Amino acid sequence: MKNRLVLIIVTVLAVCFSFNSKAQDSKVMVGAGLGYATDISNLGIFAKGVYMVNDTWEIAPSFTYYFKKDYTNWSSLDFNGQYVFSANEKNSFYAIGGLNLTFWKVKLESSDFGVDDEYLEGVGDLILSELESNGSDVGVNIGVGSRFALSDKMYFNADIKYTLGGTNYLSMGVGILYNF
């Protein structure tokens, strides 16, 4: 899972650094921040990219890794489109719609059940010393967001969206975006 996260971040940064345009003409923003998901009930960190197709439409992929809680690791990969319904040089407000992939992994060890490993010796395969399960769900995102200029190249970003599908949850995130 960590290898996927590193690969996604490196790919997004490589694409963004390959653009050779002036900062004020740039159509690419990249950033990171903190998020919270209701049914996951935990904080996470996210990396986000924004490509401004035109004045009205943006493409905004993101990846969120939620901190481990109750023996479960969660992460989500979003492929969103953003419809900008109000914008000026300092801020913008937009609607969010897109595809979501939510990944989960549960890992329990014998110590999690209150059984010491020394009691498992000699028993063989009769008692499981580790139980692991993982999976993914596909969903659809719908929400709203905003960006406020902190400087010529830095923006404060806030999103709230609901994911409908195999895993239903409301997620909120705040972060910083850098305009290349």
Side-chain angles (χ1 to χ4, degrees):
M1 186 53 158
K2 290 180 184 177
N3 292 338
R4 275 193 250 164
L5 175 62
V6 170
L7 180 62
I8 290 169
I9 292 172
V10 168
T11 303
V12 169
L13 290 176
V15 169
C16 293
F17 284 124
S18 68
F19 289 94
N20 281 336
S21 60
K22 296 178 183 176
Q24 62 269 23
D25 296 337
S26 176
K27 295 183 173 195
V28 176
M29 289 190 233
V30 175
L34 291 174
Y36 179 81
T38 56
D39 286 2
I40 295 172
S41 301
N42 209 1
L43 283 174
I45 55 174
F46 69 84
K48 179 178 182 176
V50 177
Y51 177 73
M52 293 171 263
V53 177
N54 56 37
D55 291 339
T56 307
W57 290 99
E58 300 173 344
I59 298 170
S62 65
F63 179 80
T64 306
Y65 174 80
Y66 296 97
F67 300 113
K68 187 175 183 177
K69 181 179 179 185
D70 298 332
Y71 315 108
T72 307
N73 287 336
W74 292 88
S75 60
S76 68
L77 184 59
D78 296 307
F79 301 99
N80 292 323
Q82 297 179 167
Y83 177 78
V84 179
F85 54 85
S86 176
N88 60 34
E89 291 179 9
K90 297 288 184 187
N91 56 53
S92 63
F93 299 94
Y94 50 86
I96 300 170
L99 180 67
N100 169 277
L101 299 170
T102 300
F103 306 95
W104 51 269
K105 180 178 180 180
V106 178
K107 184 175 181 180
L108 298 169
E109 297 184 16
S110 59
S111 60
D112 297 329
F113 298 110
V115 179
D116 291 330
D117 287 335
E118 67 185 66
Y119 294 112
L120 296 177
E121 290 180 23
V123 178
D125 293 333
L126 295 176
I127 300 175
L128 294 174
S129 62
E130 183 176 287
L131 176 65
E132 184 173 311
S133 179
N134 59 36
S136 61
D137 293 312
V138 177
V140 176
N141 292 326
I142 186 165
V144 293
S146 61
R147 255 190 325 268
F148 300 98
L150 299 174
S151 69
D152 289 342
K153 296 183 180 185
M154 297 291 286
Y155 292 86
F156 172 77
N157 179 239
D159 292 339
I160 184 167
K161 63 183 178 282
Y162 193 79
T163 300
L164 301 160
T167 307
N168 298 322
Y169 57 91
L170 179 70
S171 59
M172 300 155 274
V174 293
I176 300 293
L177 291 171
Y178 181 78
N179 189 348
F180 285 91

